[in-house]
Amino acid sequence: MQKHLLTALFFLATIGFNSHAQEALFRPQNIVSPEIHEDNSVTFRLHAPNATAVQVTGDFLPSVKMETPMGQMDGPGKAELKKGENGVWEFKTPVLSPELYNYSFSVDGFNTTDPSNPFLIRDVASATNIFIVGGGHADLYKTNDIPHGTVARRWYDSPGLKMDRRITIYTPPGYETSTDKYPVLYLLHGAGGDEEAWIALGRTAQIMDNLIAEGKAKPMIVVMPNGNVIQDGAPGEGSKNFYKPQFMIPNTMDGTYEGAFEDIIKFVESSYRVKTDKANRAIAGLSMGGYHTLHISRYYPNTFDYMGLFSAAIMPREDATGRVYSNFDQTLKAQMDNSYKLYWIAIGKTDFLYNANKEYIAKLDAMKMPYTYVESEGGHIWRNWRIYLSMFAPMLF
C-alpha cells in the first residue's frame, strides 16, 4: 500500500512539474514583431523593461558607410525604438518597397535577434531576422500556391580535392515523375558562404519555382556547390561539425576550386537526368563566385554557353599563381572563339568592386568579346544578387 501511495504522489508531483513547465513554455509576451501593415509600413516591438536604449538595424534603413576587411562598404543604418507601456519598445517605419529585409536589435549596446520573430537567416557568422514586404519582384521570394521543386543535400566524391563533399541541388517541379532530361545551372556563392548560401539567403528555390510557374524560365536543375575547398560541408553540416564560420577561407581563390570543378559536373551528369552538351550548361556566381565563374568558364572554354558574373570579385590576388590562372588572355580568347550564347555581367553602382568590373569590361571591349552589362542601384548586397538571379534565369536555355 505504501509503495502504491509513493508512486501516486510521485506521479502527481511529476504532472504538477510538467504542467508548470509547459505553462511557462507557452506563456510568452503577446507581442507581434514585425507587424507589416496594409500600407507596407512595419512596426518592430521588443519587450525589454529594464533597458535604457533599444535600436533596430536592418537593410530597410538608409545605408551608412562602414569599414570592412574588404574596404569601405555600405552597411545598414540604425533607428531608435521608443519605450511604451509594460516595457515594450516600438519603432514604425515609413512605407517600405517590396523586398526581403533583414534586421536585428541592439539593447544597451548588446546585439540580439528579435525573440518574437522565429525566422532567422545566417550570413557567414551573423544571424539576423527576416521578413518580406510583398509585391513586385518580392513576390518571387515567397512560397506561393504553385507546383514546387525539390531541394536535396547530396554528397559527391571529389578526387581533385581528395574528399567527399556536400552539395545542394534543386530539381524543378515534376522532375521525379518525368523522364525528360533537363539543362543545368551551376550557381556559386561568395566569400563566407557555402552550399547553404544561395538556397537560404538567395531564395533560389522560391525564385525558380515562381519563374517556372509563370512561364518565365525553363525548368532546370540548379546546382549549388561549396566553394571552400578545405571544407567537406557547411559549418555544422560537415565532418568538422560546429564551429564559427569565417569570411575568407584558405585556398578559396587560388585556383584549386576551379581546377577540381569537373568533379561536380561529372557527379551531376552521372546522377541526374540532364542534357550534357554546352548549350544546356550555365554557370553563374556572386562576388567570389563571380570570380570562380569567370575562371571556370575560361579554363574549360567549351563547357558553358551561359555565364553570369554577379558583382564579381575581379581583383589581383597574390595566391592566384596556379595553372588555372596562367595564359589568361589566350584562354579568354579561346572561350570567345568557341562562341557562347550569353556572357552576363551585373554590378551595383555603389559596389566596392564597381571599378574593377568596369576595367574588366574595358578589356572585353578591347578584345571585341560580346557581353551583356547590367548596372543596378546599391552595393555588394544580397538584395541585388536575388534580383540578378531573377533576371538571369529567364535568359537561359
Side-chain angles (χ1 to χ4, degrees):
M1 180 71 181
Q2 186 177 8
K3 180 179 178 182
H4 290 304
L5 179 61
L6 289 172
T7 301
L9 289 171
F10 176 78
F11 178 71
L12 289 171
T14 303
I15 291 177
F17 173 80
N18 286 339
S19 66
H20 282 295
Q22 290 176 358
E23 183 181 352
L25 180 63
F26 295 107
R27 195 173 54 197
Q29 289 286 331
N30 186 24
I31 294 173
V32 177
S33 179
E35 181 180 1
I36 302 172
H37 304 289
E38 290 186 3
D39 67 351
N40 284 352
S41 62
V42 178
T43 296
F44 299 92
R45 299 182 179 93
L46 181 69
H47 182 246
N50 298 321
T52 57
V54 178
Q55 295 175 314
V56 62
T57 180
D59 56 1
F60 59 89
L61 294 164
S63 62
V64 295
K65 294 295 181 183
M66 301 178 65
E67 292 297 330
T68 75
M70 301 296 289
Q72 195 176 71
M73 298 175 64
D74 290 338
K78 292 183 178 180
E80 303 286 341
L81 279 71
K82 291 184 179 180
K83 192 173 185 179
E85 294 182 2
N86 302 320
V88 176
W89 297 71
E90 286 194 5
F91 171 75
K92 185 176 181 180
T93 72
V95 173
L96 299 181
S97 301
E99 189 54 72
L100 184 151
Y101 295 100
N102 66 72
Y103 73 100
S104 60
F105 289 130
S106 174
V107 182
D108 292 338
F110 175 74
N111 295 326
T112 183
T113 54
D114 184 348
S116 298
N117 182 357
F119 303 107
L120 295 150
I121 202 162
R122 177 181 68 84
D123 191 0
V124 193
S126 298
T128 56
N129 295 103
I130 58 171
F131 65 97
I132 296 176
V133 174
H137 68 270
D139 285 345
L140 291 176
Y141 311 152
K142 293 181 175 181
T143 301
N144 294 308
D145 186 13
I146 55 173
H148 300 292
T150 299
V151 178
R153 272 71 170 186
R154 299 285 305 273
W155 289 81
Y156 73 99
D157 176 38
S158 176
L161 300 179
K162 298 180 175 58
M163 67 176 84
D164 288 341
R165 306 191 76 231
R166 191 170 181 263
I167 194 167
T168 301
I169 298 180
Y170 165 90
T171 50
Y175 174 84
E176 290 84 356
T177 57
S178 171
T179 58
D180 294 341
K181 292 185 176 182
Y182 294 84
V184 182
L185 165 62
Y186 295 86
L187 190 58
L188 314 183
H189 64 80
D194 45 60
E195 75 275 11
E196 294 293 317
W198 265 111
I199 208 69
L201 292 150
R203 305 291 286 181
T204 298
Q206 289 82 3
I207 289 171
M208 295 308 304
D209 282 351
N210 286 309
L211 288 176
I212 292 168
E214 294 171 12
K216 293 179 179 178
K218 292 185 177 179
M220 68 185 78
I221 292 173
V222 183
V223 176
M224 292 156 276
N226 187 323
N228 306 311
V229 294
I230 66 171
Q231 292 178 338
D232 59 356
E237 301 292 347
S239 60
K240 293 183 180 180
N241 293 295
F242 301 108
Y243 62 97
K244 187 175 182 177
Q246 292 178 262
F247 176 65
M248 285 299 295
I249 295 175
N251 306 116
T252 50
M253 296 173 75
D254 67 356
T256 306
Y257 181 58
E258 297 96 315
F261 200 80
E262 278 189 325
D263 295 344
I264 296 170
I265 297 174
K266 288 176 181 177
F267 168 74
V268 171
E269 295 187 350
S270 64
S271 304
Y272 290 85
R273 296 191 315 277
V274 298
K275 299 176 181 179
T276 59
D277 58 327
K278 177 170 173 274
N280 286 285
R281 292 195 203 103
I283 185 167
L286 70 91
S287 194
M288 181 183 78
Y291 175 91
H292 286 151
T293 294
L294 186 162
H295 292 293
I296 290 167
S297 65
R298 174 191 58 78
Y299 187 66
Y300 303 106
N302 201 31
T303 304
F304 303 95
D305 251 353
Y306 303 87
M307 283 69 64
L309 279 60
F310 306 166
S311 310
I314 305 169
M315 57 179 69
R317 292 189 57 85
E318 293 181 1
D319 56 353
T321 57
R323 58 189 172 88
V324 168
Y325 302 125
S326 62
N327 302 317
F328 182 89
D329 289 349
Q330 296 93 318
T331 52
L332 192 62
K333 185 177 185 303
Q335 182 181 9
M336 177 179 68
D337 291 344
N338 281 332
S339 77
Y340 48 79
K341 295 181 181 177
L342 180 64
Y343 200 96
W344 198 80
I345 303 171
I347 188 82
K349 294 177 183 177
T350 59
D351 197 307
F352 76 103
L353 293 167
Y354 180 83
N355 290 335
N357 275 253
K358 295 295 283 187
E359 289 171 8
Y360 182 62
I361 286 168
K363 181 182 186 68
L364 299 183
D365 287 337
M367 294 175 56
K368 295 183 169 50
M369 183 168 172
Y371 63 87
T372 299
Y373 176 64
V374 173
E375 201 169 271
S376 66
E377 299 298 327
H380 208 69
I381 51 177
W382 272 102
R383 186 185 303 189
N384 272 341
W385 303 324
R386 286 187 290 265
I387 291 173
Y388 295 164
L389 175 60
S390 304
M391 297 171 68
F392 183 69
M395 295 185 281
L396 303 180
F397 316 122

